[in-house]
Amino acid sequence: MAVNGRQGGRPTLEEVAARAGVGRGTVSRVINGSPRVSDRAKAAVSQAIAELGYVPNRAARALAGARTDAVALVIPETEARLFAEPYFLDIIRGVSAELGDADKQLLLTLIRSDQERQRFEQYLAAQRVDGVLLVSVHADDPLPDVVRGLDIPAVLNGRRSEEEPVAYVDSDNVGAGCSAVAHLAERGRRRIATITGPLDMYVARCRLDGYRQGLAAAGLAADEALVAAADFTEEGGRRAMRGLLERCPDLDAVFAASDVMAAGARVALREAGRRVPDDVALIGVDDSAVARHMDPPLTSVRQPIEEMGRVMARVLLQEIAGAEAEPRRLVLPTELVVRESA
């Protein structure tokens, strides 16, 4: 039997979206009374609902209207990487403190495969959390857009690109690279190398841009042989440093895009008989416990990691409360902390 020009069966949210010419998330926002919908879209969705005879699921509506008092913090990494990387622990500490003050439960979620991501998307679709915080997001990660499409408030730690549509809290990563290279140049270093993070991550590309801008400002020629890509791990930093020494044995300084990679580079330099800072100066990023406990202590660009976690949680709570009409985009300052390594 045909109903309003379609075959029998209960109309779906996707069919309403197709008829209205909008996305599934827009239909969901109209149904749930969200203010973040234009009058034109609201009218198109309302007309499509009437034409198709769509009836929202009452149980889902009830869940959608209720608060779970839970927030998911999503980190797409393994347990080993989570506990080996001080950055993640500081983010968790900041998020946990802010959510604890607001009486919200924190659900830590590690996503290590497409299967786990799909399972988490199903969990989100069931309206089990009030909002989502995402950390360590790569350029091709679809999860932020999935969360946004479900009309669940979300905030990223960092961003996927300059045009990031989802709310985010980031640090001045270009400035981090600039300040590190400026310091090295002021100390008389002329063959300054860099070890980058994965270049499918915006944070890594920004730190590389800062490195290049720093070279230009110091009047130093850029040499791509002095650039080695790694993966924000200690072993990745060690491998990258070995490659740099093979290609450019005359290098006299290294800017590593994280303290953990700088620790790996320090091992490779020692293996090669290079002294830090006498032969090769070394700078990292994060100003983590790793930096303070290295031998010699590591000069590092401090980013306010725990504060970023707090601010992320604060922005998300404002979105959950409906206080933010547009996604917030915040960039926090960085600061060079000089120690004995450079």
Side-chain angles (χ1 to χ4, degrees):
M1 179 180 70
V3 179
N4 290 333
R6 65 182 296 278
Q7 294 301 311
R10 182 172 179 166
T12 66
L13 200 68
E14 288 75 11
E15 289 173 321
V16 173
R19 176 67 67 93
V22 299
R24 185 181 186 279
T26 299
V27 177
S28 178
R29 284 190 284 274
V30 172
I31 291 171
N32 292 312
S34 170
R36 296 186 295 169
V37 185
S38 70
D39 290 340
R40 182 176 180 179
K42 193 179 298 183
V45 170
S46 298
Q47 182 176 344
I49 287 173
E51 291 174 353
L52 293 173
Y54 175 76
V55 179
N57 182 287
R58 291 185 178 180
R61 284 291 308 279
L63 275 171
R67 289 278 183 260
T68 66
D69 288 329
V71 167
L73 174 60
V74 181
I75 302 177
E77 301 289 351
T78 64
E79 293 93 335
R81 176 85 196 283
L82 173 68
F83 292 110
E85 174 58 79
Y87 182 91
F88 296 131
L89 301 180
D90 285 345
I91 285 287
I92 293 169
R93 188 178 295 113
V95 168
S96 179
E98 194 70 24
L99 293 181
D101 291 344
D103 290 327
K104 293 285 186 181
Q105 182 179 2
L106 174 62
L107 303 177
L108 178 61
T109 303
L110 303 184
I111 295 182
R112 295 149 293 194
S113 66
D114 286 341
Q115 183 179 12
E116 288 184 344
R117 179 177 55 78
Q118 291 167 6
R119 188 158 55 240
F120 181 67
E121 290 175 7
Q122 293 169 358
Y123 183 84
L124 292 178
Q127 303 287 340
R128 303 280 181 84
V129 295
D130 294 337
V132 178
L133 299 166
L134 298 107
V135 180
S136 191
V137 178
H138 292 251
D140 60 352
D141 192 334
L143 189 55
D145 297 321
V146 170
V147 176
R148 192 165 175 249
L150 291 169
D151 200 33
I152 297 173
V155 179
L156 307 184
N157 172 227
R159 38 191 158 153
R160 292 169 293 175
S161 71
E162 183 67 30
E163 294 78 32
E164 178 60 68
V166 180
Y168 62 78
V169 178
D170 204 352
S171 62
D172 181 9
N173 292 298
V174 173
C178 281
S179 62
V181 173
H183 176 77
L184 292 168
E186 287 168 4
R187 296 297 176 95
R189 308 291 173 159
R190 291 295 175 263
R191 291 286 285 166
I192 303 171
T194 187
I195 298 173
T196 78
L199 293 177
D200 67 334
M201 296 183 72
Y202 188 64
V203 57
R205 298 199 302 276
C206 284
R207 290 177 188 173
L208 177 57
D209 286 345
Y211 160 81
R212 287 171 172 154
Q213 290 179 27
L215 290 178
L220 298 175
D223 182 350
E224 288 306 306
L226 288 167
V227 177
D231 56 2
F232 285 134
T233 68
E234 183 174 354
E235 180 56 33
R238 180 160 54 180
R239 285 196 304 267
M241 189 70 251
R242 286 171 178 163
L244 285 168
L245 289 171
E246 289 175 3
R247 292 196 303 274
C248 306
D250 61 336
L251 66 83
D252 60 7
V254 178
F255 165 56
S258 77
D259 290 347
V260 171
M261 290 195 300
R266 177 71 186 89
V267 172
L269 288 167
R270 181 170 289 168
E271 291 171 346
R274 303 295 182 92
R275 297 168 299 166
V276 175
D278 305 68
D279 302 321
V280 179
L282 184 61
I283 294 182
V285 179
D286 287 338
D287 189 35
S288 62
V290 170
R292 296 187 291 275
H293 296 147
M294 277 177 61
D295 178 25
L298 181 70
T299 294
S300 182
V301 182
R302 174 185 294 157
Q303 54 176 341
I305 304 172
E306 188 170 333
E307 179 62 16
M308 280 198 290
R310 276 190 169 274
V311 174
M312 285 171 61
R314 202 174 300 147
V315 170
L316 184 68
L317 291 171
Q318 292 168 352
E319 289 208 352
I320 291 170
E324 298 297 333
E326 295 293 330
R328 297 286 300 279
R329 297 175 174 87
L330 302 177
V331 178
L332 305 185
T334 56
E335 174 191 2
L336 184 70
V337 179
V338 179
R339 298 191 180 91
E340 287 87 339
S341 73

